[in-house]
Amino acid sequence: MAQKPAAMAAKKLSSCNLTAALRQEQDAGAALLLFLNPPNATPSSPFRHCLRCYDLIIISKLASARLFQDMESILSRLPPTDASHDPGPRENLLCRVVSAYGRTRLPAAACRAFAHPAFPEPRTAHALNTLLHALLDCRSPLRDLLAVCRDAGIPANASTYNILMRAAAASGSLEHTRNLFDEMLSLGIAPTVETFGTLVAALCDAGQLEEAFEVKEAMVRQHDVPPNAHVYTSLVKGLCQRGEVDAAVRLKDEMVHKAELLQNSAVYGALVRALFRAGRRGEADGLLEELKVRGIVPHRDRVVYNAMVAGLCEDERDPSAAFAVLDDMQKCGCKPTAVTYSMLVAGLCKLGRWQDAIELVKDMPKRGCTPDVVTSRMLFDGLCAAGEFHEANTVLGDMVVMGFAPSKDGARKFVEGIEKEGDAVLLESVLCRLAKMNVLESSGWERAVSGVLNDPAELRIEKQLASIRSA
């Protein structure tokens, strides 16, 4: 691919032709070379790139490849603008640059891009909101977002407040979320359904369900904004967490008359888990059938099926019902994920069927799903809880190959279990392996070494651990 610019040297390219060539070029480095050295460019007749060329090379190529240093260099080449140019397209480019930095968790770079002199002043609310979104993606604290708003000096709109409220809610501050909502109203900015969704979710998370329902009523009566699926889901989850399952079911039924809301299966997932906890498994089965009857079999997501699997693994002494749900998932075109398998593994281990759990994890790649770190830890912890430490050691070896490590708590329990068994050979191997993985505190090493080993083995392990620490 890198030879393409040389091969095109004899061709006369227009800006439109170059745009097409950049779009087709998959290699970011080759695209950059073509952009910098168009075939028909000469010192006396430099090539004039159109804004679309910059857009393609900066966003579609360099940003996607995370070649940010090259991207900054290209940004500096953007020609200055004047009053005769429409600032809209260039601002759109600015927003895409800022968003690219947000996606890669680079908040300082996003702020620098927002202030880049290549983009025309003044900044608009659209550009400001793009930066706030990027900072929110970077999990920047609310105070940073508020500082950006203050320094930008741009009048806020509903989208601005929606982002700030989401940041406040994410920080766990219901007070700040409410204050921002009140400030929004005082400025005469009409709240949107997203505004209400954020406030309702924050109230539900704080356990203030009565006030959350008051907000739901107010958004309809006072603001003529109908609740969306997010609002209903927050309320249903809040009721389920309180154990008010009947009220949650009635709220779900309220959605039946709003077909577009039923496409969101998160409500059904929350209800399934609550019904299992209340010992009402039959009704949980009925919810899944209701989804199918309404033609909303959740093939796009796995929320309801995973909730069924989790409930059955917790409720059943025989996991065959959970495996039946797994088969039903696949028949409906809903591919199980590692989360689904992790719940099955945990359920099997809880029942003492650790051999079945091992076989299930081995069989996952054949089912089109690779074990992840959570699945591996579930199996490892389950084997330790069952006292099957040699099997757990085998799983630990597989985890090392896949680049996974047990949790520090799991590693501690593993070592403590082997200590109790007094297996010096296994303990020696395990301590050295865990030391290399840096998942066992030094106190764990010292206690294990001094607790059960004979002197020769103890000295050998101490030397191995010392070499690992020094490395």
Side-chain angles (χ1 to χ4, degrees):
M1 298 298 288
Q3 298 300 317
K4 183 174 288 189
M8 298 176 65
K11 295 183 180 180
K12 184 78 172 176
L13 283 188
S14 66
S15 182
C16 183
N17 295 143
L18 181 60
T19 299
L22 288 171
R23 183 180 290 108
Q24 293 173 3
E25 179 57 70
Q26 299 300 312
D27 181 80
L32 177 62
L33 185 59
L34 177 59
F35 178 89
L36 293 174
N37 301 283
N40 53 311
T42 64
S44 60
S45 179
F47 191 91
R48 295 191 64 179
H49 297 85
C50 67
L51 191 60
R52 183 57 180 152
C53 289
Y54 281 97
D55 195 339
L56 278 169
I57 193 65
I58 291 173
I59 300 305
S60 299
K61 307 301 178 183
L62 299 180
S64 296
R66 301 193 177 188
L67 299 175
F68 292 118
Q69 186 172 356
D70 290 324
M71 189 176 83
E72 291 282 353
S73 175
I74 296 298
L75 277 174
S76 65
R77 297 167 59 98
L78 271 170
T81 60
D82 55 45
S84 64
H85 286 86
D86 178 10
R90 190 165 290 210
E91 183 181 76
N92 291 337
L93 177 57
L94 160 66
C95 292
R96 286 192 281 276
V97 171
V98 170
S99 296
Y101 281 126
R103 287 191 298 272
T104 48
R105 306 292 188 267
L106 296 171
C111 291
R112 287 199 306 272
F114 179 76
H116 201 287
F119 300 108
E121 295 282 359
R123 299 288 186 264
T124 66
H126 173 58
L128 171 64
N129 293 340
T130 300
L131 176 59
L132 295 176
H133 260 301
L135 296 177
L136 190 63
D137 288 341
C138 297
R139 297 179 177 83
S140 298
L142 176 62
R143 63 175 179 274
D144 289 356
L145 275 66
L146 292 172
V148 165
C149 292
R150 182 183 63 247
D151 296 342
I154 300 170
N157 58 19
S159 295
T160 310
Y161 275 97
N162 288 341
I163 299 167
L164 293 174
M165 287 177 64
R166 283 171 55 198
S171 71
S173 175
L174 177 59
E175 180 182 2
H176 281 131
T177 307
R178 278 172 162 160
N179 289 343
L180 286 164
F181 180 75
D182 293 340
E183 180 181 311
M184 184 179 184
L185 295 180
S186 69
L187 293 173
I189 300 174
T192 66
V193 67
E194 183 181 346
T195 314
F196 288 111
T198 301
L199 181 57
V200 167
L203 288 165
C204 290
D205 289 341
Q208 299 187 23
L209 280 181
E210 290 76 15
E211 189 172 347
F213 274 96
E214 289 174 6
V215 171
K216 173 180 173 287
E217 294 302 316
M219 66 186 290
V220 177
R221 294 179 180 177
Q222 298 177 21
H223 300 276
D224 195 27
V225 179
N228 63 1
H230 181 207
V231 172
Y232 276 103
T233 301
S234 297
L235 292 169
V236 167
K237 286 182 176 179
L239 289 169
C240 289
Q241 288 170 357
R242 272 196 184 181
E244 299 180 25
V245 182
D246 291 330
V249 172
R250 287 194 297 271
L251 192 59
K252 183 269 300 179
D253 291 339
E254 183 181 314
M255 299 172 63
V256 170
H257 304 292
K258 304 171 183 179
E260 72 280 1
L261 300 184
L262 289 177
Q263 297 295 327
N264 186 305
S265 58
V267 167
Y268 284 86
L271 280 173
V272 165
R273 294 307 306 273
L275 288 167
F276 269 106
R277 285 194 292 267
R280 295 158 62 173
R281 176 193 163 177
E283 293 177 62
D285 290 336
L287 283 177
L288 183 56
E289 291 306 313
E290 180 181 322
L291 276 172
K292 294 178 181 179
V293 169
R294 295 183 183 281
I296 317 172
V297 177
H299 60 276
R300 293 182 306 277
D301 59 59
R302 302 156 184 87
V303 174
V304 178
Y305 279 116
N306 283 349
M308 289 291 297
V309 169
L312 290 166
C313 286
E314 294 170 1
D315 182 64
E316 293 285 310
R317 298 303 301 169
D318 181 0
S320 59
F323 278 98
V325 172
L326 183 68
D327 293 337
D328 189 39
M329 284 182 75
Q330 294 170 319
K331 288 177 183 177
C332 291
C334 181
K335 184 180 177 181
T337 65
V339 174
T340 316
Y341 287 105
S342 294
M343 291 185 292
L344 284 166
V345 167
L348 289 168
C349 290
K350 185 178 178 181
L351 294 173
R353 295 175 55 172
W354 53 267
Q355 191 62 53
D356 290 335
I358 291 174
E359 292 303 318
L360 179 61
V361 172
K362 287 181 179 178
D363 198 41
M364 282 177 63
K366 297 178 185 177
R367 294 172 175 257
C369 183
T370 303
D372 65 0
V373 64
V374 176
T375 311
S376 301
R377 285 179 175 178
M378 285 283 190
L379 181 57
F380 178 80
D381 292 346
L383 290 169
C384 291
E388 299 293 337
F389 299 111
H390 283 275
E391 292 289 349
N393 191 48
T394 300
V395 171
L396 181 62
D398 294 337
M399 292 175 69
V400 171
V401 171
M402 292 185 287
F404 303 149
S407 65
K408 291 191 175 182
D409 185 57
R412 177 181 56 77
K413 291 179 180 178
F414 185 35
V415 170
E416 289 175 354
I418 300 172
E419 283 183 87
K420 291 179 181 178
E421 287 199 344
D423 190 333
V425 175
L426 179 58
L427 185 57
E428 177 183 353
S429 170
V430 163
L431 284 173
C432 293
R433 179 179 284 174
L434 293 176
K436 291 178 181 178
M437 300 169 78
N438 194 31
V439 292
L440 189 66
E441 293 87 352
S442 58
S443 59
W445 296 340
E446 294 163 1
R447 186 180 65 254
V449 168
S450 62
V452 298
L453 297 180
N454 296 324
D455 288 346
E458 181 180 338
L459 291 173
R460 184 167 64 254
I461 293 178
E462 285 180 338
K463 288 179 181 179
Q464 290 183 14
L465 293 178
S467 64
I468 292 170
R469 288 166 177 163
S470 62

